Amino acid sequence: MNKTWWKECVVYQIYPRSFADSNGDGIGDLRGILGKLDYLKTLGVDVIWLSPVYKSPNDDNGYDISDYQDIMTEFGTLADWDELVAGMHARGLKLVMDLVVNHTSDDHPWFVESRKSKDNPYRDYYIWRPGKADGPPNNWQAFFTGSAWELDPATGEYYLHLFTRRQPDLNWENPKVRREVFDMMHWWLKRGVDGFRMDVINMLSKAPGLPDAAPLGGSRHVQGSEHFICGPRLTEFLGEMKRDVLSHYDILTVGETPMVSPDDAVALTHEETGALNMVFQFEHMDLDRNFAEQGSQPWKLQDLKAVMTRWQKGLEGRAWNSNYLSNHDQPRPVSRYGDDGPYRVVSAKMLATFNHLLQGTPYIYQGEEIGMTNVAFPSIDDYNDVATRNVYRVQTQELGLDPQVALAGIHKRSRDNARTPMQWSGAPGAGFTTGAPWIKLNPNYPTINVEQALADPDSVFYYYQTLIQLRKANPIFVYGTYDMILPEHDEIYAFTRTLDGERLLVVLNFTATSPEFAAPAELAYSSAELVIGNYPVEAGDVRRFTLRPYEARVYRLA
Ligand code: GLC
Ligand code: CA
């Protein structure tokens, strides 16, 4: 396995709108981020991934881009961006930008032209089709509800949008589109970008003829996905991107790839032949989702163990995992896989141990490092996210669901759980803003905040800091081989990491109870030195011990 900096680093994701507001307008911005670089340096991360900061009308908070080569007005200017990247590089931090090129905003000049007439030079930049007698060109559904097609009155044809109707899909079959995207990437890379996180990048290639989809079933949760997930020309398009752009720079690339298997991931990220360094898979994120009912279901530790082990072993020696428990689209992990009540701090540390001890590059999402939790706003009007609002509308207006039941589902699943402002302090505005925040704060900010965490040596923050330091000091954290032990255990997730005769044992209690760990006979060791744990541990039997609620222990075996 090759050794590279992007395997050894730790990535921190910033959702700029909710991170830090420098001018009191209630919206996070680039100068706000600049003011927090020393904080991130203290945490110890190496790479910062910014969710989109480009010009955008914000139908989907920046994932709808109207100018790829300029900055969103509320976030600042290109000059601010230059200052930010200089500030990062001066501190040895790298910058990864979000690359959203499956679709643009409908405000993008290409689309404004494209919709004007059937013979407009930009017509073929997007995917236009005449409707069928009874409606749209096919039965594909959009991710955020409804048909994936929108009828445009100007020409009487439909355009494809896998996300909102304000996010028309680009036509990657058109070589001019690919040229535009590659030129834009070169432009940012020359300006100082150190990598890209590529939004829904496995959806670029749609099946020829755009055929109707089979009815939903299995793990497919959007009707039509079999015709655009890892489509026929995907590896060709990304291969071209690699040849034209990526191979000319020493950068980090991570593709966001819903609905992929480990084999799909290897095809995209193989050490020698892949176009990208890593992908984000979603199987562990989908364990608590009930797709049939657009709702939640309890997740099972057995399923989590099976999924993660399949990914760890499936990529071993061939490709590299990107490990994450949260991002701007997901509920907060402590509320989801841990406990956001009495065991919030220990369970946040246990989950951090899990994410940093798997083989792969760990990603931290803003606020995770202080154990921020889900929020339960009392009214749908408190929610901003377009996906949340669409689902609520369909559930209450079309499916007749009781509004309180729909709201309870939103409390669990809404993407806004991750988008409430970063909690810097207990001051009004949580230290995020001196004005009125664009979305309400989580009311727990007076107790859960950075100021508190920095003052408490036992905080979640310092535990993350220690994990990151350990990773830097111990190659086994990065490169050690993963092997699960005790696969049948319902409460404990335990595994080993092995490198050059050295071995770590990771024992994680995913419950609020006190299960007993008993090392399997085939795991030979006589002594074990604690490397990190989330409770004080006294000397004692290291082959058999009782775990406390959400306890995590990492031992070096001998
Ligand atoms: C990705 C982004 C999400 C966005 C969607 C459409 O899933 O992470 O926030 O809404 O793509 O761009
Ligand atoms: Ca601002």
Side-chain angles (χ1 to χ4, degrees):
M1 171 140 331
N2 303 325
K3 301 202 163 174
T4 64
W5 65 265
W6 49 263
K7 292 179 179 172
E8 295 169 14
C9 72
V10 175
V11 184
Y12 186 93
Q13 181 192 354
I14 289 181
Y15 194 69
R17 203 171 189 78
S18 300
F19 192 63
D21 171 22
S22 70
N23 62 353
D25 67 354
I27 299 174
D29 46 54
L30 298 184
R31 303 203 75 84
I33 299 171
L34 186 60
K36 300 297 182 187
L37 293 182
D38 289 330
Y39 166 78
L40 297 171
K41 208 51 204 166
T42 306
L43 180 59
V45 299
D46 315 276
V47 177
I48 293 167
W49 149 30
L50 293 186
S51 275
V53 297
Y54 314 92
K55 274 260 182 315
S56 164
N58 283 305
D59 189 47
D60 187 16
N61 282 351
Y63 284 92
D64 49 318
I65 296 169
S66 55
D67 186 343
Y68 286 109
Q69 286 165 240
D70 204 351
I71 299 297
M72 194 187 298
T73 318
E74 301 97 302
F75 288 178
T77 62
L78 268 173
D80 294 329
W81 186 89
D82 286 334
E83 211 176 308
L84 179 61
V85 82
M88 289 183 183
H89 289 165
R91 291 169 177 82
L93 296 165
K94 291 185 192 285
L95 172 63
V96 163
M97 292 276 274
D98 222 303
L99 185 80
V100 188
V101 291
N102 174 70
H103 44 267
T104 68
S105 161
D106 61 348
D107 279 357
H108 195 291
W110 299 338
F111 191 75
V112 172
E113 284 301 310
S114 187
R115 77 195 319 178
K116 281 184 180 162
S117 67
K118 291 184 188 171
D119 57 9
N120 187 282
Y122 288 91
R123 186 68 167 181
D124 203 29
Y125 271 45
Y126 296 86
I127 302 171
W128 292 96
R129 293 289 184 278
K132 288 186 184 157
D134 54 347
N138 69 27
N139 65 356
W140 297 4
Q141 297 280 305
F143 275 83
F144 302 155
T145 70
S147 169
W149 295 93
E150 182 74 6
L151 179 62
D152 201 45
T155 56
E157 287 192 334
Y158 290 79
Y159 63 88
L160 180 72
H161 62 90
L162 295 182
F163 294 89
T164 75
R165 69 185 58 155
R166 298 207 56 193
Q167 293 169 298
D169 278 53
L170 282 165
N171 176 19
W172 274 72
E173 303 286 328
N174 182 348
K176 284 192 204 143
V177 167
R178 307 202 293 274
R179 187 69 261 147
E180 300 261 21
V181 169
F182 299 162
D183 287 348
M184 175 270 284
M185 293 172 75
H186 279 294
W187 187 84
W188 281 109
L189 287 160
K190 291 196 177 114
R191 222 180 164 100
V193 165
D194 303 295
F196 292 109
R197 175 270 188 185
M198 304 185 183
D199 194 63
V200 294
I201 202 69
N202 62 330
M203 302 188 194
L204 299 183
S205 167
K206 280 79 176 173
L210 310 179
D212 269 325
L216 281 186
S219 65
R220 292 181 310 118
H221 52 87
V222 171
Q223 188 164 285
S225 60
E226 73 270 37
H227 298 309
F228 59 77
I229 293 291
C230 301
R233 297 188 67 188
L234 178 66
T235 47
E236 178 197 333
F237 293 155
L238 293 179
E240 195 178 313
M241 182 191 283
K242 179 184 181 181
R243 269 194 312 284
D244 193 292
V245 187
L246 308 175
S247 60
H248 302 281
Y249 307 86
D250 179 21
I251 54 174
L252 180 158
T253 55
V254 54
E256 188 210 21
T257 55
M259 293 180 250
V260 293
S261 68
D263 284 342
D264 296 327
V266 170
L268 295 171
T269 61
H270 188 278
E271 291 254 332
E272 268 93 51
T273 55
L276 308 179
N277 297 152
M278 300 171 256
V279 295
F280 290 123
Q281 60 91 12
F282 284 81
E283 290 192 273
H284 61 315
M285 291 287 128
D286 290 344
L287 296 176
D288 63 354
R289 291 182 71 176
N290 181 331
F291 289 116
E293 293 169 17
Q294 293 246 36
S296 305
Q297 62 184 26
W299 64 278
K300 295 192 212 66
L301 184 61
Q302 289 293 356
D303 294 341
L304 182 68
K305 288 160 81 161
V307 161
M308 299 318 279
T309 302
R310 188 146 37 83
W311 278 88
Q312 291 284 303
K313 299 315 270 185
L315 269 52
E316 189 181 299
R318 301 193 290 164
W320 193 249
N321 274 288
S322 60
N323 297 318
Y324 72 102
L325 295 176
S326 61
N327 63 37
H328 65 292
D329 294 328
Q330 299 291 337
R332 291 284 180 178
V334 73
S335 298
R336 190 179 191 186
Y337 308 105
D339 174 87
D340 59 12
Y343 300 117
R344 183 183 68 84
V345 169
V346 275
S347 70
K349 292 175 181 176
M350 185 278 288
L351 293 169
T353 315
F354 175 46
N355 203 46
H356 288 252
L357 265 295
L358 291 168
Q359 191 189 61
T361 298
Y363 288 72
I364 302 170
Y365 177 69
Q366 67 183 45
E368 186 187 316
E369 78 279 18
I370 55 166
M372 278 179 63
T373 69
N374 281 354
V375 72
F377 290 136
S379 157
I380 186 65
D381 299 329
D382 297 324
Y383 287 87
N384 167 278
D385 170 33
V386 64
T388 303
R389 297 175 73 103
N390 284 1
V391 167
Y392 182 85
R393 195 190 56 240
V394 168
Q395 288 184 333
T396 56
Q397 290 175 22
E398 293 171 26
L399 304 173
L401 196 67
D402 178 77
Q404 284 313 312
V405 176
L407 203 58
I410 284 170
H411 292 162
K412 280 211 155 105
R413 288 231 48 88
S414 174
R415 306 196 296 180
D416 283 340
N417 281 310
R419 300 178 183 184
T420 60
M422 181 72 183
Q423 295 166 200
W424 295 103
S425 76
F432 162 73
T433 183
T434 54
W438 69 276
I439 186 172
K440 280 188 183 171
L441 296 159
N442 189 317
N444 62 23
Y445 74 88
T447 46
I448 304 173
N449 61 64
V450 169
E451 198 174 75
Q452 181 283 328
L454 291 176
D456 174 6
D458 205 26
S459 68
V460 179
F461 178 90
Y462 289 117
Y463 193 88
Y464 269 84
Q465 187 189 55
T466 307
L467 280 169
I468 296 168
Q469 285 166 357
L470 283 167
R471 180 181 185 82
K472 298 209 185 307
N474 298 279
I476 191 171
F477 268 63
V478 180
Y479 294 108
T481 304
Y482 162 102
D483 288 287
M484 179 161 60
I485 59 171
L486 306 177
E488 308 299 332
H489 208 294
D490 289 326
E491 289 147 323
I492 295 175
Y493 188 166
F495 56 91
T496 58
R497 301 286 306 279
T498 310
L499 185 72
D500 304 330
E502 201 187 337
R503 177 164 288 170
L504 298 178
L505 168 64
V506 182
V507 182
L508 309 166
N509 175 11
F510 269 80
T511 72
T513 63
S514 300
E516 181 176 78
F517 171 82
E522 64 275 13
L523 182 65
Y525 64 95
S526 52
S527 69
E529 173 211 343
L530 191 72
V531 181
I532 186 169
N534 59 354
Y535 283 88
V537 176
E538 320 238 299
D541 191 345
V542 289
R543 294 198 59 95
R544 183 181 282 271
F545 49 85
T546 301
L547 291 162
R548 288 152 286 186
Y550 296 101
E551 183 163 4
R553 296 189 194 184
V554 180
Y555 282 115
R556 187 185 309 278
L557 304 182

